[in-house]
Amino acid sequence: MTAAFASGQSPEFSRENRAEQLESLRRQMAGISAKMAGRAVAGVDDLAPDSQARLALPPWLAEALPVPLPKGSVAVLSGARSLLVSVVAAVTAAGGNAAIVGQPDIGLLAAVEMGADLSRIAVIPDPGTDPVEVAAVLVDGMDLVVLGLGGRRVPQTRARAVVARAHQKGCTLLVTDGDWQGASTRLEARVCGYELTSSHGGMPAPGFGRIGKVRLQVGGVCAGRALGRVRAG
């Protein structure tokens, strides 16, 4: 499912149109929630409590975090987008649903190469003037919502209500390109190297070939505890 908000119209039309689209999103998320609830009841005996409580993460990241990242929490990610893409890939590969809000140039091809299931990803490239409201609607039917703030800063007075809703619905919110006050998990990734594959079947040469792997260095805090710099490739 891909949704886009209209832009470039008059303010009056834009407000009405966005209100209609938000209401449409609410209806769609309510339908998804009902289907997910039915599946959960049918297969509840097959799920371990730990798998329900934790967000699926790339193995190298899950092992590096001082505590598991629980569902329903908020994390701020900054730096290299490969970290964000790898989390989306892990969640959808594990059978979860993810929505990407306000990130029109996110690398979906890279996500697929990391194992992502595109049929489980909803993309809202232009959420309009209030991306937080769009994210608040989407938490009803998703396991993960990626929210690009476009340089905005969300104060705690606004954040509390969204955090409470995400916690109630068991949806994790990953915030990028801005600040979310009160977030207990903050991770920063930077690229520390590349591995090239030759385009002609031989040994890779500087300036030629294809990037086959990106090496990341990740640091930050999780639930108030520092994450030692960890490298992944």
Side-chain angles (χ1 to χ4, degrees):
M1 177 183 70
T2 301
F5 282 80
S7 60
Q9 288 119 354
S10 67
E12 292 78 7
F13 179 85
S14 179
R15 282 194 297 270
E16 292 177 0
N17 194 40
R18 292 182 197 283
E20 292 174 359
Q21 290 172 322
L22 279 172
E23 182 57 34
S24 175
L25 276 175
R26 289 190 179 97
R27 290 194 297 268
Q28 292 178 50
M29 291 305 105
I32 292 174
S33 297
K35 292 178 182 178
M36 291 177 66
R39 290 199 297 268
V41 170
V44 67
D45 294 334
D46 300 327
L47 296 175
D50 283 350
S51 68
Q52 293 180 354
R54 303 175 183 180
L55 182 72
L57 294 172
W60 61 267
L61 181 59
E63 293 172 3
L65 292 179
V67 294
L69 187 62
K71 292 182 179 180
S73 61
V74 178
V76 176
L77 305 188
S78 58
R81 289 195 179 184
S82 298
L83 175 60
L84 172 64
V85 173
S86 66
V87 174
V88 172
V91 169
T92 57
N97 296 303
I100 302 173
V101 181
Q103 296 276 295
D105 56 349
I106 193 167
L108 292 179
L109 176 58
V112 171
E113 291 176 344
M114 293 179 187
D117 182 349
L118 283 182
S119 69
R120 294 184 172 275
I121 299 176
V123 180
I124 297 84
D126 179 13
T129 58
D130 194 354
V132 176
E133 173 65 18
V134 175
V137 172
L138 289 167
V139 299
D140 277 7
M142 297 290 165
D143 300 283
L144 172 70
V145 172
V146 175
L147 173 59
L149 289 175
R152 296 172 178 85
R153 177 173 173 270
V154 180
Q156 282 192 332
T157 51
R158 179 81 188 279
R160 287 193 193 101
V162 181
V163 171
R165 187 176 182 86
H167 182 73
Q168 178 188 19
K169 301 297 182 179
C171 175
T172 302
L173 185 64
L174 295 187
V175 178
T176 66
D177 301 331
D179 186 45
W180 187 281
Q181 287 194 326
S184 60
T185 298
R186 294 177 180 272
L187 302 177
E188 181 180 3
R190 70 177 185 87
V191 176
C192 61
Y194 300 92
E195 291 185 14
L196 298 178
T197 58
S198 174
S199 58
H200 300 291
M203 294 295 293
F208 297 91
R210 179 175 180 271
I211 294 177
K213 186 178 291 187
V214 176
R215 290 193 293 273
L216 295 179
Q217 187 177 66
V218 182
V221 295
C222 182
R225 298 171 61 181
L227 168 68
R229 291 281 173 178
V230 58
R231 295 195 176 198

